[in-house]
Amino acid sequence: MYKLYFCDINLITDEEFERELKALPLLRRREILRKANIDQRKLSLAGDVLAKRAILELSNGRETPVFAKGENGKPYCLNYPYHFNISHSKKYTVVAVSDRPIGVDIEVIRPFSASAAAKHLSEAEKEYIVLDDIPEKRNERFFKLWCAKEAYLKFIGTGLKGGISSLSITPDSNKFANNKDVIIKYSNELPDAVTCVVYK
């Protein structure tokens, strides 16, 4: 069981941003304010706010969720038995919350880099992309593969350090070649982005 929560930062007013920022612990506030620009600050803040609201909603809890980060930066909740993961792309933040370990990634669909495909995708994955004649569909296929790989690395807690190119997806079965036990699920919530959740 998992739930996804989305935020379009263009809908966050300056007043809402300031109010939610003040509600955070001082160290986290400083971390957010060190981001390069207001959009990055809003994306980061939206992750915290969505994760806290989601955990409170799922648990019917009253105590404010307290977050910490693991060895490789994966966030976790100290005072509720829920796992969560956060991802950002362009104007979107997504949070996945579950009662078991989970990874999530979101990517706004755009023209993909041929060099990134050559470097990070297997031959079977590259063939899967070019099977479609429509450029927009090729872009979507690339980001579906990329999202699944990134969500998996976040699921296992390594982040991108785990190596995107070390993973291979069998497009026909929608499974990782090196770990067929994990589940890959895509969301169609946003028409201009690909969202992928990975869990066991």
Side-chain angles (χ1 to χ4, degrees), residues 129-192:
I129 290 171
V130 298
L131 276 175
D132 206 306
D133 295 332
I134 303 167
E136 291 78 15
K137 291 292 184 184
R138 287 184 178 189
N139 294 333
E140 185 178 343
R141 284 183 174 210
F142 172 84
F143 283 109
K144 281 183 95 168
L145 293 169
W146 186 274
C147 261
K149 292 182 181 203
E150 198 163 327
Y152 177 80
L153 293 173
K154 293 170 79 177
F155 163 72
I156 63 172
T158 63
L160 289 181
K161 284 189 250 175
I164 289 271
S165 52
S166 68
L167 300 171
S168 180
I169 297 170
T170 309
D172 293 341
S173 65
N174 210 25
K175 293 282 184 185
F176 287 102
N178 58 335
N179 189 343
K180 292 183 170 57
D181 294 335
V182 297
I183 298 166
I184 301 171
K185 289 280 187 185
Y186 294 99
S187 165
N188 297 318
E189 185 91 13
L190 303 171
D192 58 341

Side-chain angles (χ1 to χ4, degrees), residues 108-125:
V108 169
I109 301 168
R110 55 201 184 272
F112 67 89
S113 158
S115 61
K119 182 178 179 183
H120 297 294
L121 301 185
S122 69
E123 288 307 313
E125 291 168 337

Side-chain angles (χ1 to χ4, degrees), residues 64-83:
T64 301
V66 178
F67 298 154
K69 288 185 179 175
E71 186 179 331
N72 292 306
K74 184 174 183 179
Y76 64 94
C77 187
L78 291 168
N79 55 339
Y80 284 95
Y82 285 96
H83 300 265

Side-chain angles (χ1 to χ4, degrees), residues 8-56:
D8 178 340
I9 62 161
N10 291 333
L11 303 177
I12 301 173
T13 66
D14 292 342
E15 294 76 19
E16 287 170 326
F17 176 80
E18 291 299 332
R19 185 179 67 244
E20 296 292 354
L21 186 68
K22 284 178 185 170
L24 294 178
L26 181 60
L27 287 178
R28 181 62 182 134
R29 251 184 284 160
R30 287 180 177 163
E31 202 175 294
I32 289 172
L33 290 173
R34 279 197 296 269
K35 302 285 181 190
N37 58 54
I38 188 63
D39 283 353
Q40 289 182 9
R41 291 173 201 150
K42 284 184 175 183
L43 287 167
S44 189
L45 177 69
D48 282 52
V49 172
L50 285 178
K52 286 181 179 177
R53 287 181 184 171
I55 289 170
L56 287 173

